[in-house]
Amino acid sequence: MAESDGSGYPERMHQPEFSDYGFLSDCRSGALVGRDGSIDWWCPHRFDAPSVFARLLDPAGGHWRIAPLAASRVERAYRPDTLVLRTVHHTPEGSVAVIDALAAEVGARAHQLGMNSPAVLLRVVEGLSGRVRMHLDFAPRPEYGLLTPYLHERPEGAVLATAGPVALVLRGTGQVLRPDRDRVAHTFEVSAGQQVGFDLAYAPVYGPPPARLDPVTMVEETAQAWEAYRETHRYPGQYHDQVRTSATVLTGLTYARSGAVAAALTTSLPERIGSDRNYDYRYSWLRDFAMTMRALWVAACPHEASRLFAWAARSIGRIGDQPVPVLFGLEGERDLSEHDCAHLRGYADSRPVRIGNDAWRQRQLDVPGEVIAAVWQLHDYLGETLDEELREMVLGLAEQVAATWRQPDRGMWETRDIERHYLSSKVLCWGAMHRAVQLAPQLGGQADPRRWAGIRDEIRETVLREGWHDGIGAYTGAFGSAELDASALFLPVVGFLPATDPRMRSTIEVIERELSTDDGLVRRWNTDPAGFVLCSFWLVECLAMAGEMERARVLFEKVLGHANDLGLFAEQVDLDTGAQLGNTPQALSHIGLINAAWRLTEPTTD
């Protein structure tokens, strides 16, 4: 529970923590709504499009708030197996619930969710007791706050906002909304048993008009669409509720039209407050590909796994001399050139705010290993012989690894300084060759498993020799480096070494001693001030694979304790304050949770 400020004014006196936000999605885009009832982030066209609300990144970036005028005590929860959020405000005048959702298409069920989302935010206010005075404050600022729209009164008390390429229509049932230059400020009352609905519909200004939906009816319709979707996914393992929540988050981060999974909803939420490590994560990373595929299979989402795979194969295209980028746009775009939004202050003055991500230009030798591993995961379903395009892709990736594995790269953490021989990159080069050899019978006459096996074995010997540091007693982050790196925990996860191997066991112990904390968090390296949620779940997996199930379970439950009250994880957790850091909600954190839960389940599953 938390106290809202109850002010009704557009600018807060403080910056909400990341954990204050709930996540809404229509599988086209997503929104963040705070405990105080303010929607501070929404990019309605699609996840990586320009925002119309960006107060998350600047007090003047636009928002839409509905909350009691009086200060309130807040409780909130998702309707089970949905991203329909119910927030209850308890005030001296009485209690009221605000139900928030991004509308599904009318009649959408199961795998239709998100295919034709109407881009409409729904907000329904329900009186629970007493008579509560409510305040609505609507201040859209399209294109990351660069535009201030014209607001026009429309029939039946609606307001039309237009600026640049954006049209928004705000309506309220039984409410007459009137603009005051660049915003709508509206006060109304709700009594016990009364419902007041609002809908905010987006459309491109030079296209069909924004959709008109009944908010009360469509909130229920949207909840039923999510429930029907989750009914098709039956996870049989332990930590059932947490896995289903994380699977719902992954579904919410999926761009339904292509099947791509966005790494996060947001851009430029800092890894460290006041630092410049602020990146745009609204794209889909191939490096995360096999982990994501595994999590989707574990969470009983085979349809989503197949669509993600098809998106990746189409996005990669014909393999040439250039390395395959580590990330793509949600419809397969390759050029994601980065620029700064100098007009935005950034979260808690953490600049710059970046749009795009120049990691697409980096050499990342681990990408082919992730993609070929994903093909291997699906090989039983792909037939005895892969189709021509898929066969060419695997052959091209294998040959690319054969030609380039000795080169340095930017590594798993996408460093922006110099290239190095990163351990995790070499291990995934080994993984590419290992799986290519296994897939050879399905690759036709151009496969060269004997040569590939020789390269695979050479990579393995090199990693075992160059990756180990006698003085530290562990595999380190890069060849010749004395810097401990939690990415070494990836070795057992991808099958390079068993967790019981003496050197691997020593590495796990050193990382646990030097990089982990009493509350279960694992830093990526010694100077990292925050715990990285994915690495924390990797340690759980390593302990489970080493046979230390009870320690793994205790650690897993400690990490679970760092989620917010809705079960959402950002990328990292501050070691001093416990505050979440980095873009949110973070797909990799929830992928790590699902895979670790299954690792704890596997020994007891038939």
Side-chain angles (χ1 to χ4, degrees):
M1 299 184 182
E3 298 292 324
S4 76
D5 59 24
S7 66
Y9 291 102
E11 294 191 11
R12 300 182 179 92
M13 299 299 292
H14 67 283
Q15 182 91 53
E17 293 187 0
F18 302 170
S19 57
D20 285 341
Y21 287 104
F23 171 44
L24 311 177
S25 174
D26 57 7
C27 299
R28 163 181 175 157
S29 182
L32 292 180
V33 55
R35 293 177 188 274
D36 64 354
S38 184
I39 295 176
D40 290 347
W41 183 254
W42 188 34
C43 305
H45 184 64
R46 72 182 210 184
F47 290 108
D48 54 351
S51 65
V52 297
F53 301 136
R55 183 156 68 164
L56 181 71
L57 297 173
D58 191 294
H63 66 279
W64 178 23
R65 186 177 184 217
I66 298 178
L69 275 169
S72 64
R73 178 172 56 85
V74 173
E75 302 172 280
R76 61 183 182 168
Y78 286 118
R79 181 160 161 170
D81 290 334
T82 79
L83 290 179
V84 176
L85 180 62
R86 186 173 190 264
T87 303
V88 178
H89 298 266
H90 300 285
T91 79
E93 301 171 331
S95 296
V96 65
V98 180
I99 302 169
D100 293 315
L102 273 165
E105 182 186 9
V106 175
R109 292 294 182 270
H111 300 298
Q112 298 169 336
L113 182 64
M115 297 302 290
N116 293 288
S117 298
V120 179
L121 269 168
L122 307 169
R123 313 197 75 177
V124 175
V125 184
E126 291 183 343
L128 302 178
S129 67
R131 186 171 182 83
V132 181
R133 292 175 298 161
M134 303 291 293
H135 185 81
L136 178 152
D137 187 43
F138 173 67
R141 298 292 184 266
E143 206 161 331
Y144 304 110
L146 282 173
L147 299 175
T148 300
Y150 289 103
L151 300 184
H152 306 279
E153 292 187 39
R154 283 293 181 260
E156 301 178 16
V159 171
L160 168 67
T162 58
V166 172
L168 296 164
V169 175
L170 176 65
R171 302 180 181 90
T173 54
Q175 306 294 308
V176 177
L177 304 174
R178 289 193 170 90
D180 181 10
R181 288 185 59 82
D182 64 350
R183 68 189 336 109
V184 174
H186 177 70
T187 301
F188 61 102
E189 293 186 341
V190 180
S191 300
Q194 184 183 2
Q195 287 185 321
V196 178
F198 297 90
D199 63 291
L200 176 63
Y202 156 84
V205 74
Y206 298 109
R212 181 170 187 176
L213 302 175
D214 175 71
V216 175
T217 301
M218 281 308 301
V219 159
E220 181 61 28
E221 178 76 15
T222 299
Q224 291 178 12
W226 277 100
E227 289 164 350
Y229 189 90
R230 290 264 65 88
E231 277 298 310
T232 65
H233 304 88
R234 299 287 188 179
Y235 168 69
Q238 299 177 28
Y239 299 100
H240 176 271
D241 291 347
Q242 292 89 343
V243 167
R244 286 182 72 87
T245 295
S246 288
T248 301
V249 172
L250 288 185
T251 301
L253 289 171
T254 298
Y255 182 66
R257 296 182 184 183
S258 68
V261 177
L265 179 65
T266 56
T267 178
S268 301
L269 291 185
E271 297 176 12
R272 182 187 304 180
I273 301 299
S275 79
D276 63 354
R277 291 187 59 83
N278 319 316
Y279 303 115
D280 193 345
Y281 277 16
R282 298 173 298 161
Y283 310 109
S284 196
W285 263 252
L286 289 185
R287 179 194 300 106
D288 311 339
F289 194 49
M291 285 186 286
T292 307
M293 292 278 289
R294 181 171 183 263
L296 291 173
W297 278 104
V298 164
C301 305
H303 177 79
E304 291 76 9
S306 298
R307 295 198 69 231
L308 175 61
F309 180 82
W311 165 83
R314 187 177 301 113
S315 299
I316 291 170
R318 191 179 296 277
I319 306 297
D321 294 333
Q322 295 298 313
V324 176
V326 69
L327 72 155
F328 287 91
L330 300 177
E331 293 183 356
E333 301 90 343
R334 183 169 291 216
D335 186 343
L336 302 176
S337 296
E338 191 175 287
H339 69 276
D340 295 350
C341 289
H343 64 286
L344 293 176
R345 286 169 48 178
Y347 179 90
D349 293 320
S350 301
R351 291 186 175 94
V353 171
R354 294 182 168 101
I355 305 301
N357 195 309
D358 276 345
W360 78 274
R361 305 175 188 273
Q362 294 183 353
R363 177 162 49 211
Q364 298 282 357
L365 299 179
D366 49 6
V367 171
E370 282 285 320
V371 176
I372 297 176
V375 177
W376 174 254
Q377 288 181 15
L378 286 175
H379 76 282
D380 285 340
Y381 297 88
L382 295 173
E384 293 184 3
T385 303
L386 306 185
D387 68 51
E388 182 178 356
E389 289 184 4
L390 186 55
R391 188 167 62 249
E392 283 192 11
M393 182 184 76
V394 175
L395 289 166
L397 290 173
E399 291 301 333
Q400 192 172 93
V401 171
T404 63
W405 74 268
R406 294 181 178 85
Q407 297 178 9
D409 72 347
R410 296 302 178 105
M412 177 175 288
W413 310 128
E414 296 170 9
T415 59
R416 298 198 173 195
D417 50 7
I418 63 171
E419 293 184 336
R420 298 177 176 85
H421 293 280
Y422 284 100
L423 181 79
S424 59
S425 298
K426 305 302 185 190
V427 167
L428 280 170
C429 287
W430 167 87
M433 293 289 95
H434 178 57
R435 295 307 186 191
V437 169
Q438 293 177 307
L439 286 166
Q442 294 168 273
L443 296 175
Q446 290 180 278
D448 195 351
R450 184 183 297 274
R451 180 170 59 88
W452 292 344
I455 296 169
R456 175 200 63 195
D457 295 343
E458 185 181 358
I459 297 172
R460 180 181 177 82
E461 290 168 5
T462 302
V463 169
L464 294 176
R465 181 181 66 252
E466 302 294 336
W468 176 259
H469 193 288
D470 277 327
I472 295 180
Y475 291 104
T476 55
F479 290 179
S481 172
E483 186 171 15
L484 196 60
D485 193 308
S487 63
L489 295 172
F490 204 40
L491 273 61
V493 173
V494 298
F496 181 81
L497 280 175
T500 53
D501 173 87
R503 283 189 167 186
M504 193 64 235
R505 193 68 190 89
S506 176
T507 300
I508 295 168
E509 290 173 357
V510 172
I511 288 175
E512 192 173 13
R513 182 177 68 246
E514 300 294 331
L515 298 183
S516 70
T517 65
D518 291 340
D519 55 0
L521 296 171
V522 176
R523 296 175 294 156
R524 285 177 290 179
W525 47 76
N526 279 315
T527 57
D528 197 345
F532 202 84
V533 176
L534 175 64
C535 295
S536 306
F537 285 126
W538 279 349
L539 181 56
V540 172
E541 288 200 65
C542 286
L543 291 174
M545 286 187 285
E548 298 192 43
M549 294 299 297
E550 186 54 35
R551 289 183 62 214
R553 196 175 308 281
V554 168
L555 177 62
F556 181 78
E557 293 176 2
K558 285 182 177 180
V559 181
L560 290 181
H562 294 286
N564 77 353
D565 56 318
L566 299 173
L568 302 179
F569 281 101
E571 183 180 37
Q572 301 182 58
V573 178
D574 187 279
L575 299 182
D576 294 326
T577 67
Q580 296 197 18
L581 295 171
N583 287 300
T584 190
Q586 175 75 209
L588 269 184
S589 298
H590 290 278
I591 288 164
L593 184 156
I594 293 169
N595 289 337
W598 186 245
R599 193 76 71 178
L600 293 170
T601 297
E602 281 181 311
T604 61
T605 301
D606 293 336

